[in-house]
Amino acid sequence: MIALVLPLLGLFPAMVGESAAQSVTSYVLSDPLTGLAIGGMDPVSYFTEPAPLPGRPELEQEWMGAPFLFASEANRDIFQRNPEIYAPQYGGHGAMSMARGFVSDADPAIYTLFKQRLFLFYSAANREAFLLAPDAAAIRGGEHWQVLSKNLSIR
């Protein structure tokens, strides 16, 4: 029995290491299949529309090493003038995860606007946790982002 289990235990560290190698590493979170920031949604539309709009491929603008798409030329121009205002906070990584001190993926469909900034979340439960104390979560997230973002790459 031990002879059967020991080889399996030897594979466990290799599997854990492989999983860690696939962790989030880029400053701006982008879709692993398309490479687009915030899943191809127009970042300005989060602020101007009832629901975010999908961007158009012909209206692409790169920022911080990631391609963002826009629904209109006007939105692209607005973003170009002030990307820090319209780009999601923490590079689009999960806001509540950042407040808790770690980098995670986020879903562009799960978001909130707080103090005129866009925050994305991994889950609706994370968004609800953030909204229980948004000032504190945003402050903690900002503090953690200053440290954690130094280890993320800009393509």
Side-chain angles (χ1 to χ4, degrees):
M1 175 84 159
I2 292 176
L4 292 173
V5 174
L6 284 178
L8 293 176
L9 292 176
L11 291 177
F12 181 73
M15 288 188 293
V16 170
E18 192 172 313
S19 154
Q22 294 175 12
S23 64
V24 178
T25 59
S26 57
Y27 187 88
V28 173
L29 182 64
S30 58
D31 184 286
L33 298 176
T34 65
L36 297 172
I38 58 176
M41 302 306 286
D42 177 339
V44 176
S45 71
Y46 283 88
F47 295 85
T48 61
E49 303 296 327
L53 301 174
R56 298 179 5 214
E58 67 272 16
L59 296 174
E60 181 180 312
Q61 172 68 45
E62 188 171 308
W63 182 72
M64 299 301 285
F68 285 80
L69 298 183
F70 299 88
S72 70
E73 289 181 19
N75 283 6
R76 183 188 60 199
D77 295 346
I78 289 168
F79 182 85
Q80 286 175 334
R81 286 193 293 270
N82 293 301
E84 295 81 13
I85 291 174
Y86 296 101
Q89 297 301 289
Y90 321 131
H93 298 286
M96 195 60 205
S97 302
M98 192 62 61
R100 292 174 174 152
F102 64 93
V103 178
S104 77
D105 286 343
D107 182 339
I110 306 172
Y111 67 95
T112 194
L113 295 175
F114 175 69
K115 293 191 173 180
Q116 308 230 352
R117 294 294 185 262
L118 174 60
F119 294 86
L120 303 180
F121 301 91
Y122 179 79
S123 68
N126 279 176
R127 178 180 56 204
E128 295 309 313
F130 180 91
L131 292 173
L132 288 173
D135 282 309
I139 290 168
R140 280 193 320 273
E143 291 167 351
H144 291 137
W145 179 244
Q146 287 180 8
V147 174
L148 295 172
S149 65
K150 292 176 183 176
N151 297 320
L152 301 174
S153 67
I154 297 175
R155 292 184 231 173

